[in-house]
Each structure stands twice: as C-alpha cells, then as structure tokens.
Amino acid sequence: MYRVLTEQFGNPSAQYPLGHQARTLVEDSRAVVADALGCKAENLFFTSCGTESNNWAIRSAAWHGRHTGKHIITTAVEHSAVLEPLRALAQEGYEITRLRPDRSGNVTVEQVADALREDTILISMMLVNNETGCVFPVAEAARLLKARKSHALLHCDAVQGLLKVPCDPVRWGVDLMSLSAHKIGGPKGIGALYVADSLRNFRPLLPGGGQERGLRSGTEATAQIAGFAKAVELRRENLAEKLARMAALKSYCRDRLLTIPGMETVGDGTAPHILSLSLAGYPSANIVTELGEQGICISAGSACHKGKPSHVFAAMGLPKKVAAGTIRVSFGPDTTEADIDALYAALKEHQSKRFPML
Ligand code: PLP
C-alpha cells in the first residue's frame, strides 16, 4: 500500500503509463480477491466497505424484484449494515420477516422454507454471525430457492466468513455476497460485492464516470484495493493450518475461561475466530474498559453497538444479566496461548475486585 501511495499513484482511468500501471494493479488485485471467492474477476466489484456492499445489494435487489413483490426474509441477528437498510425499506412499504435464532444462536433452513412466499424478492442471510460465530445455512437456502423455483435473490453478508469458513457463492448459487478487507487483516475502508452472472442488469450503486463496469463509479481506491489483495494472499498462505490453530486456540480459551466461576458460553458458534462468553453479573462494558487499559482487546458484543444492548442476544432470548455480561473474544493467526492466559488472569482479577450485580 505504501508503494502504491508513494510511487504507483496514477489514476487507473488515466491514459499515461502511471495510469496503466494503476489499472493493472486494480485488475490484478480483483483477480486475487475473486480467486479466494472462487468467482470470475468480472463478477467482483470493489466498494468502500462491507456496509456499502450490503446497502447496495439490498437496495438493488429490491429494485430488481419490484414487479414481483415486496416481501423480504432476513434474520433478526444480521449486522446493522443489513438491518438498517431493511428498516428503511420497511418504511417504504416492504414487509420484512426477521427469522429469530434459537438459544444457541442458530437459524435453520426450515425457518427460511416456512417464511418463503410467492412475493418474496430477497433473502438476506449472513454467513457467520459477528457476535456468536454461528455459521448460517446459506448454501441450503440457495438450494431451497432453486427447489422452489423462487424468483427471490439470495444475498449473503460474508464479511465474517471469508477465509474463515467455506465460502463458495458460485457453487452454492448465491446471487450477491458482501466482503470487507479489514476482517482478514486488510485495510479498513475497502470492501467488495460479488454479483452473479445472472444479474447482468444489476442496478448501479453510483452512476457516474463508469468505473467498476459502470456499476460503482468513482476513482478506485487503488492503495486499499492493493491492500485487500495483499491481505488475501497473506491469509491464504497455509490457510488450513492457520484455521486449525485458531480453532484449537478457541477451544483452549473456552476450556480455560469456563473454569472461572459464573462464566458460561453464549451460543454455540462453530466459526474458528469468534468465541462468545458471559460472566453473568459482571457488565461487559466494565470488563472491556478495564482489560483494554491492560492492552487486552476484547469486545462486548459487537464493536459497532457503542454500548447499546445487543440485538443479537435479545433475539436469542438471553436473560438480561447474561446478555449484559457477554464478551466476545476474537482469534487471528497471530493469537497465542500466552494471550489467552493473560486474558484468563485479567478476568480472574476483575472478578476478585468486584461484587457481582444482582
Ligand atoms: N457485516 C458484518 C457481519 C460485520 O461484522 C461488519 C463489520 O464489523 C460489517 C458487515 C460492516 O463491514 P464494514 O466495517 O467494512 O463496513
């Protein structure tokens, strides 16, 4: 990214050599990210973030289905970047069915089947829930739509799934898939949307100078795009080994933290990089602040909620005390057992210094 910012800073649309260099860089990067997703480069469009990809997918899918109906299915535990654009559509007269997870945080394809109607135009289902690590049945939902010969499009927010769990939109038959670089070690402020071949006339997000095959105009964020591709390349090196290590660490962390009196797991997410636990009676906001001061970075629910109670835990029906004490531990390829041991010690100390809230 530094090289792109300081040396290869041409505009990819410019005709001079620096411009051609930048164009090559953007297209090579697109090929790298597309390869990780198992799709053709021409089906991948760069955006400014996962939020933008979700908003674009949902808005344009609604437009695409405008002659078919106004019913949309989603889950009650999607990221706000899905729930909020859907709420806006609801205000415009769309009917949104929000599938509730069970106490373990999971939703089933049977719930989707029960909710699916003739006038359903879109299903938006995330691949991995960012707060529980639960993996949702996206491939099964795609199969269901095919079996029912439904006109509904299937959008998947795979921001937490890319290079963490199997993610194969082409083989599964997903129409739209959102990605974001910063969940795999890439820069913030760059995302992508996969748009299936069948959506040739997909509605542009930003009409303008015609970049991104006319669908998302605006001069390409070349350094971020290069950073996205670099992150994909680095993450894919020995990926299976990295994922196995993360899964083993998650299991070590779960076993170790569950020895703390009152600690319980929240949901049974199987993704290797997210573990949700609750120290009921000890509000997570206090834990996160105190541990943060010691250099231990964990989250309370979703980082995006800024202190608001999590809609995910509410939808799962967690008792308030458990929801209020929920912390999310995330694992990356560089997390170590020593990190987990430090977390364990800090949580024990936190607990020893405070009385539990009733
Ligand atoms: N979707 C999920 C599941 C996420 O976890 C996030 C970010 O935390 C987003 C969407 C938003 O992505 P971005 O921060 O790139 O807008």
Side-chain angles (χ1 to χ4, degrees):
M1 287 180 70
Y2 181 73
R3 196 183 65 230
V4 176
L5 287 166
T6 55
E7 294 170 28
Q8 301 176 326
F9 47 78
N11 182 332
S13 299
Q15 295 306 309
Y16 40 76
L18 258 184
H20 291 160
Q21 235 180 48
R23 167 61 51 211
T24 304
L25 190 88
V26 167
E27 296 315 323
D28 288 353
S29 300
R30 195 188 310 280
V32 168
V33 181
D35 191 58
L37 205 60
C39 72
K40 289 179 285 183
E42 67 196 57
N43 294 99
L44 198 76
F45 299 86
F46 288 116
T47 62
S48 71
C49 56
T51 300
E52 181 181 315
S53 302
N54 284 342
N55 272 268
W56 179 15
I58 288 167
R59 271 280 157 194
S60 294
W63 182 84
H64 185 90
R66 66 198 178 286
H67 301 307
T68 311
K70 286 197 152 191
H71 178 237
I72 297 175
I73 301 170
T74 189
T75 79
V77 294
E78 296 294 309
H79 192 274
S80 322
V82 163
L83 291 178
E84 288 303 311
L86 287 178
R87 200 160 64 91
L89 284 178
Q91 283 165 355
E92 293 167 27
Y94 285 80
E95 187 188 342
I96 317 290
T97 300
R98 297 175 184 83
L99 306 176
R100 275 186 67 146
D102 60 15
R103 184 66 196 266
S104 71
N106 289 297
V107 293
T108 63
V109 73
E110 287 74 27
Q111 287 175 275
V112 182
D114 289 346
L116 189 63
R117 311 190 318 213
E118 279 287 304
D119 62 340
T120 306
I121 53 162
L122 170 67
I123 297 176
S124 184
M125 178 185 271
M126 66 201 323
L127 185 53
V128 175
N129 182 271
N130 49 305
E131 298 192 40
T132 60
C134 287
V135 182
F136 286 175
V138 175
E140 289 89 330
R143 273 203 297 277
L144 170 79
L145 289 184
K146 215 168 175 188
R148 291 260 203 108
K149 297 189 169 55
S150 168
H151 292 295
L153 296 181
L154 179 57
H155 165 244
C156 174
D157 172 351
V159 164
Q160 292 283 355
L162 180 69
L163 301 180
K164 310 268 177 53
V165 299
C167 184
D168 201 344
V170 181
R171 207 164 49 86
W172 293 349
V174 169
D175 299 294
L176 297 156
M177 184 174 270
S178 305
L179 310 175
S180 180
H182 69 96
K183 300 297 180 196
I184 53 160
K188 291 154 203 62
I190 183 73
L193 183 68
Y194 160 79
V195 180
D197 271 339
S198 52
L199 294 173
R200 276 283 164 229
N201 297 322
F202 200 57
R203 195 181 199 201
L205 173 70
L206 300 176
Q211 290 91 342
E212 298 299 296
R213 299 162 69 85
L215 294 192
R216 201 272 184 190
S217 292
T219 300
E220 297 88 341
T222 43
Q224 279 96 324
I225 289 171
F228 194 171
K230 186 46 117 183
V232 165
E233 274 174 0
L234 291 174
R235 188 56 65 102
R236 287 185 85 185
E237 277 173 19
N238 306 319
L239 180 63
E241 215 173 277
K242 282 178 184 147
L243 293 177
R245 234 179 59 80
M246 280 154 67
L249 263 185
K250 172 173 165 173
S251 160
Y252 174 74
C253 182
R254 184 196 294 112
D255 293 349
R256 192 124 168 80
L257 297 195
L258 282 179
T259 64
I260 298 174
M263 186 71 88
E264 58 184 280
T265 49
V266 170
D268 65 355
T270 55
H273 60 300
I274 297 172
L275 175 62
S276 207
L277 300 140
S278 175
L279 193 52
Y282 296 86
S284 54
N286 297 341
I287 299 179
V288 169
T289 308
E290 189 175 304
L291 270 59
E293 283 160 8
Q294 300 168 41
I296 299 174
C297 302
I298 57 167
S299 306
S302 158
C304 312
H305 285 121
K306 296 204 185 96
K308 272 191 274 163
S310 155
H311 65 285
V312 175
F313 305 138
M316 285 163 67
L318 293 191
K320 268 201 183 120
K321 204 163 108 176
V322 175
T326 297
I327 53 171
R328 182 177 48 144
V329 187
S330 305
F331 306 87
D334 301 326
T335 315
T336 63
E337 270 191 18
D339 293 331
I340 310 295
D341 295 342
L343 170 63
Y344 169 81
L347 284 169
K348 287 281 282 185
E349 197 196 328
H350 180 86
Q351 192 179 42
S352 71
K353 285 193 310 206
R354 292 168 191 260
F355 290 111
M357 286 170 66
L358 296 173

